[in-house]
Amino acid sequence: MPLSSLKPKMRPHSSLKQEFLKKWIMGLQRCSFSKKNMSILERKKAIKFSADIAMASARNGTTCWSRSLISNASKEGSDIHVVEQILGSESDRPAVENKVPTRRASVCKKIVKRSCRIRRRRRRRKCVASAPSSIAKHLVRKRREVLKSLIPGGEFMNEICLIEETLDYITSLRVQVDVMRSLASASVRASE
Amino acid sequence: MELNAGTAGTGSHETASERKEVAALESLQFTDEIRRLMLAPATDNASSFTALLELPAPQAVQLIHSPDSVKLTAVHAPTPNVDDFKGSFHFPFDSGLIERAARFSLFAGDGNINVNNKSNSLEPTSYNSTANLQKPVKSEPAETESYQALVSDPTVENRSIKRKDREKVKGSTKKNKTAAKDSSDDAEKLPYVHVRARRGQATDSHSLAERARREKINARMKLLQELVPGCSKISGTALVLDEIINHVQSLQRQVEFLSMRLAAVNPRIDVNLDSIFTADSGSLMNSNFSGMVMPMMWPEVQLNGNRQQYPQQSQFGAFQQPVWGREEVCNNYMTPENSLLSYDSSGNSASLHSNQLKMEL
């Protein structure tokens, strides 16, 4: 098998790549089946959307970010058939079930966040921390918030979970980028 | 991550779970080794510990240390396993400590001290006692240290060091255990974190729990540092997080850009793919990717030629120009990315892609 000639670190990714590619192509076919003439932006959106969903479904609901990505995608009614196509009717149900608790959880978490923010503002007005450790903590906290905004569904995670999700998300993003890049270069080379 | 994959050699699909399994395996081996190390000088530690207990004045302080770890197990694990506990800590909790505790009537609040050492009963009592004894403990930390310095220094240090190792290890094992929800292997794995108060640090349960949590976070941050290129040299959490954020943002931007590129190149989304999949398998014998793609893409090129009649083609051509311009830019942008990423170059990934397609067909 030619796969054995590759470096060993590629081995765990190759199966993921294959899975991602399969699901992505399924989703793309479903997309193009529905709409005939699309503008370039719509096409791009459809491509990216199906790629994201394929990536998330490749995780099979093991990670938080994939679940929240799928639930966010299935909230919009227009593209839900794409999601179903990629996920398959059986596995879509647990994703749909997760929608409801995340809504409630999101409302609760928003309330908690608001109160925390208010408390933090009061604390900041009271004491401007001059100790280096608290400054460092402040910086880290800010960056952690940024990271939470980047990762889908990151607002609901605690720190440990966030870092694990980041790890997983980065690897899956890399797989996605790699597959898309090879496909793009192939199609570019073909149309030259 | 790559090292773990290499050493473990497992063929699992999910990299995250694979990593966790490897970490679990390593931690298990670690626990076994440490257990062996610990049980060998257990008697020495026992003698030193009981020697500590026989010291008159700060017996309360000494007793704080041992019930602290007991209490922490209550804090960390909802269902502590008594047999585990007995197996791990031979020395203090069997008889000596309990007798002395009963004698010193520190646990006066709770009268039912079983010498059989049921940890369930011990935990609430120790909790009460530590709550009462917080202030005296904090008032004489120096004395503790001095006493520890007097009596069997290296053994205490060894113990604390081993506990430190074990608590790091137990952190990961604990995480795996709670994830698996299976505590059947009592002899091998401990279902909770054993955290020990280190020398010169607060014995507050909250600070100990906080420390365990912090170490978990630090372990995971190390993994992240290994994953993101260029992060291992940076010290400091904020900068590392900066790098990670930049990396994630760049990856997301790349996805956007590539999807735009794909949308621009293909007139329709699935034309490319249909032509790939409808190709005969006879042309797949050559592993050269471009060689494989070219004969399959001919139908698509013909399709392109047909579509020139349509007015949409002008739009497509107009978009083509900025795409090519952008492509050069992105090539420059991506080659340093390629070197940074721990992946192979695009050539190898393209061959991988061809292999994937082969396997699918």
Side-chain angles (χ1 to χ4, degrees):
Chain A
M1 283 296 287
L3 279 173
S4 56
S5 60
L6 298 170
K7 293 178 195 170
K9 61 192 169 191
M10 293 290 278
R11 241 182 254 132
H13 295 285
S14 58
S15 53
L16 193 64
K17 279 189 178 183
Q18 284 171 28
E19 215 178 316
F20 165 63
L21 189 68
K22 264 187 253 179
K23 294 195 172 175
W24 186 28
I25 285 164
M26 273 194 332
L28 285 178
Q29 285 173 339
R30 193 79 168 82
C31 268
S32 61
F33 184 72
S34 56
K35 306 176 189 175
K36 293 297 174 181
N37 298 328
M38 286 192 274
S39 74
I40 188 167
L41 286 173
E42 281 178 29
R43 254 184 283 145
K44 170 233 171 188
K45 261 193 214 171
I47 287 174
K48 178 170 184 295
F49 182 74
S50 46
D52 289 339
I53 302 293
M55 202 65 243
S57 70
R59 284 293 177 209
N60 286 330
T62 48
T63 54
C64 192
W65 66 266
S66 59
R67 285 197 296 261
S68 78
L69 195 73
I70 289 173
S71 63
N72 282 336
S74 40
K75 275 175 199 165
E76 304 169 32
S78 58
D79 302 314
I80 195 166
H81 52 275
V82 180
V83 180
E84 281 168 6
Q85 163 85 8
I86 294 181
L87 290 175
S89 51
E90 311 90 23
S91 50
D92 192 34
R93 279 184 216 121
V96 172
E97 282 166 13
N98 284 337
K99 234 200 305 180
V100 175
T102 52
R103 272 205 206 114
R104 287 195 206 127
S106 69
V107 168
C108 297
K109 292 280 167 72
K110 274 179 192 162
I111 293 171
V112 170
K113 260 203 303 183
R114 213 181 300 148
S115 58
C116 280
R117 220 180 295 154
I118 293 170
R119 211 185 305 152
R120 240 180 271 157
R121 271 189 216 138
R122 286 191 196 139
R123 237 182 266 160
R124 270 182 214 157
R125 281 176 205 151
K126 280 181 188 172
C127 53
V128 181
S130 55
S133 60
S134 48
I135 290 176
K137 277 184 200 168
H138 182 69
L139 287 174
V140 169
R141 205 186 307 142
K142 272 204 169 177
R143 278 156 182 79
R144 204 166 273 141
E145 284 170 14
V146 174
L147 195 59
K148 278 187 185 179
S149 66
L150 278 179
I151 308 240
E155 306 94 36
F156 313 131
M157 303 176 202
N158 58 349
E159 290 180 1
I160 301 172
C161 209
L162 184 69
I163 295 178
E164 289 173 7
E165 295 293 320
T166 318
L167 274 167
D168 200 58
Y169 189 57
I170 286 178
T171 48
S172 39
L173 270 180
R174 279 195 191 165
V175 166
Q176 199 175 350
V177 163
D178 219 14
V179 171
M180 289 175 86
R181 194 185 299 163
S182 47
L183 192 63
S185 58
S187 50
V188 157
R189 238 177 288 155
S191 52
E192 276 169 2
Chain B
M1 184 194 77
E2 293 86 13
L3 274 171
N4 287 340
T7 52
T10 57
S12 63
H13 292 271
E14 311 288 296
T15 53
S17 58
E18 186 182 56
R19 217 177 302 124
K20 280 175 196 168
E21 283 169 7
V22 172
L25 281 169
E26 286 177 345
S27 61
L28 277 178
Q29 293 163 9
F30 221 17
T31 47
D32 288 343
E33 287 171 349
I34 289 172
R35 189 74 52 73
R36 265 179 260 129
L37 283 171
M38 191 192 78
L39 290 177
T43 49
D44 300 337
N45 285 343
S47 60
S48 66
F49 203 80
T50 48
L52 280 175
L53 288 174
E54 278 164 16
L55 295 167
Q59 330 99 340
V61 179
Q62 302 304 325
L63 286 169
I64 287 305
H65 286 298
S66 42
D68 232 1
S69 47
V70 179
K71 180 177 49 131
L72 269 177
T73 58
V75 167
H76 283 283
T79 60
N81 211 327
V82 183
D83 296 329
D84 277 353
F85 212 66
K86 269 188 162 178
S88 62
F89 290 104
H90 288 299
F91 43 99
F93 304 109
D94 274 345
S95 52
L97 172 63
I98 307 303
E99 289 171 10
R100 281 173 180 81
R103 231 185 290 157
F104 298 137
S105 73
L106 289 164
F107 306 104
D110 210 328
N112 46 346
I113 304 286
N114 299 328
V115 189
N116 293 335
N117 180 32
K118 292 217 172 133
S119 57
N120 289 325
S121 60
L122 189 58
E123 282 146 12
T125 62
S126 58
Y127 206 82
N128 292 335
S129 65
T130 46
N132 296 334
L133 295 162
Q134 277 301 323
K135 288 169 193 171
V137 170
K138 282 177 183 169
S139 65
E140 44 187 3
E143 212 169 332
T144 5
E145 285 185 19
S146 64
Y147 267 104
Q148 281 184 343
L150 282 174
V151 183
S152 62
D153 222 359
T155 56
V156 171
E157 266 189 340
N158 283 342
R159 221 184 317 137
S160 59
I161 288 168
K162 280 175 207 160
R163 297 273 167 80
K164 275 183 229 169
D165 291 340
R166 245 190 295 124
E167 81 191 15
K168 279 181 203 164
V169 161
K170 292 299 184 299
S172 57
T173 50
K174 185 220 169 194
K175 176 180 79 93
N176 292 330
K177 292 296 278 181
T178 51
K181 287 179 188 160
D182 180 60
S183 54
S184 56
D185 272 343
D186 296 334
E188 292 300 302
K189 309 173 194 172
L190 292 166
Y192 31 67
V193 178
H194 291 290
V195 185
R196 176 92 182 173
R198 300 181 197 174
R199 288 191 64 179
Q201 291 191 341
T203 59
D204 192 12
S205 70
H206 294 293
S207 60
L208 283 166
E210 175 75 26
R211 203 179 307 139
R213 183 176 149 268
R214 244 182 284 147
E215 283 176 5
K216 260 199 221 177
I217 291 178
N218 286 338
R220 281 157 184 75
M221 285 291 295
K222 272 187 207 161
L223 280 177
L224 257 182
Q225 269 186 301
E226 286 169 26
L227 188 67
V228 176
C231 253
S232 42
K233 303 167 193 168
I234 302 176
S235 62
T237 322
L239 295 171
V240 165
L241 280 174
D242 256 350
E243 278 295 320
I244 292 167
I245 287 170
N246 285 338
H247 193 62
V248 170
Q249 279 174 340
S250 75
L251 282 172
Q252 284 175 339
R253 261 182 273 134
Q254 276 186 42
V255 167
E256 292 254 350
F257 180 75
L258 279 169
S259 61
M260 178 63 116
R261 199 167 138 197
L262 275 172
V265 164
N266 299 325
R268 274 171 55 208
I269 292 180
D270 61 341
V271 164
N272 183 16
L273 312 164
D274 283 343
S275 55
I276 289 176
F277 288 122
T278 53
D280 50 336
S281 50
S283 65
L284 297 174
M285 294 320 290
N286 50 342
S287 58
N288 187 12
F289 186 57
S290 54
M292 182 187 84
V293 169
M294 281 308 288
M296 290 188 297
M297 289 301 181
W298 280 124
E300 187 203 274
V301 172
Q302 284 165 13
L303 267 170
N304 276 341
N306 289 336
R307 293 197 53 151
Q308 271 171 4
Q309 302 161 14
Y310 293 92
Q312 292 164 2
Q313 193 61 21
S314 59
Q315 194 185 20
F316 176 71
F319 273 113
Q320 199 77 343
Q321 294 299 322
V323 168
W324 297 133
R326 234 183 293 156
E327 191 197 21
E328 270 130 17
V329 173
C330 94
N331 277 335
N332 296 334
Y333 168 69
M334 281 184 187
T335 38
E337 272 290 331
N338 271 334
S339 59
L340 281 176
L341 288 175
S342 57
Y343 264 42
D344 299 341
S345 63
S346 54
N348 279 343
S349 60
S351 62
L352 175 69
H353 189 73
S354 72
N355 295 330
Q356 293 170 20
L357 294 173
K358 270 189 228 176
M359 285 175 64
E360 278 166 354
L361 290 167

